[in-house]
Amino acid sequence: MDQQYNSTLLRALLLSVAVPSAAVSNPQDNEIMEQIDRDVMRTHPDMHFFSGDTEEAEQHRREMKRCLFMFAKLNPGLRYIQGMNELLAPVYYMFKTDPDTTSARYAEADSFYCFVDLISEFRDHFCQQLDNSSSGIKATISKLVELLHVHDPQLAEHIEKNKVDPQFFAFRWITLLLTQEFSFPDAVRIWDTLLSDPGGRMDCLLRVCLALLMNVRQQLLAGDFAVIVKTLQRYPSVDVDVILRAASRLPPCSSVLSTPV
């Protein structure tokens, strides 16, 4: 009952957030909402749940926009960053399609709460001012490279020899939690593991990224700069369970690096 009461209050707050009107809101709000609107409209265009002109799809997009705009307003230091819609989409979809209609009714509020919790752990990856800090995206990518040197030094050296900047592929992998590399069902399967891993979400994410790299090591070792970049930016079709099993066999990243990740 308490959870339902809290969801009701949060839902009421979200519903109070109207789409900014140029006549009454400041230009910054309009700019944020325009970016959110563009991104939400592009979210999984292959899925009727998110795209199309049906009343349901429009409602789903409207609720996602409110969640993202509310987040931006509550986090003025970060605001909305392009790509956050991709992190909200799986959470919102799972709540909205809950067979329990009572739970589905509060999908907007529940997904907002969970989205905030998820972003709180990875928010430094979205903050450009922290790119060069110990918690920024560049530091996390450096940890992935260091881990690859430990687990597969030949592959790590080959990628470096061909002057492939790991940011070309790892930036998107890490910031968007692999949502863009796989079909929606496969991404949800990965998230199921990612969000429940006892070693922590970041540790699990890095191990999955390692497994992805080592899964295509033969193609990468046989290729030059163009082949490596194309393979990792357009990852070939793969059974995600194979990747997840490989990741589960890797030791915790924190123990390998002797530092928390």
Side-chain angles (χ1 to χ4, degrees), residues 20 32 44 67 88 125 132 148 221 229 247:
I32 292 172
H44 298 288
C67 287
L88 174 63
H125 292 161
N132 296 309
L148 185 61
L221 289 173
V229 171

Side-chain angles (χ1 to χ4, degrees), residues 1-15 95 102-103 105-113:
M1 178 61 72
D2 287 343
Q3 182 178 359
Q4 182 174 332
Y5 177 68
N6 290 335
S7 293
T8 302
L9 288 176
L10 185 52
R11 183 169 183 268
L13 181 59
L14 286 163
L15 288 172
F95 278 118
T102 301
S103 296
R105 178 186 174 193
Y106 299 101
E108 183 179 356
D110 290 340
S111 57
F112 174 78
Y113 179 87

Side-chain angles (χ1 to χ4, degrees), residues 10 67-68 70-71 74-75 78 84 87-88 91-92 95 108-126 177 191 194-197 200-202:
L10 185 52
C67 287
L68 294 169
M70 173 67 82
F71 176 85
L74 293 177
N75 296 270
L78 184 61
M84 286 183 174
L87 300 183
L88 174 63
V91 179
Y92 176 74
F95 278 118
E108 183 179 356
D110 290 340
S111 57
F112 174 78
Y113 179 87
C114 291
F115 172 75
V116 171
D117 179 71
L118 181 66
I119 290 293
S120 68
E121 184 166 352
F122 297 101
R123 63 178 292 141
D124 288 357
H125 292 161
F126 288 92
L177 306 185
W191 274 38
L194 184 70
L195 299 179
S196 61
D197 191 283
R201 299 168 184 171
M202 183 65 77

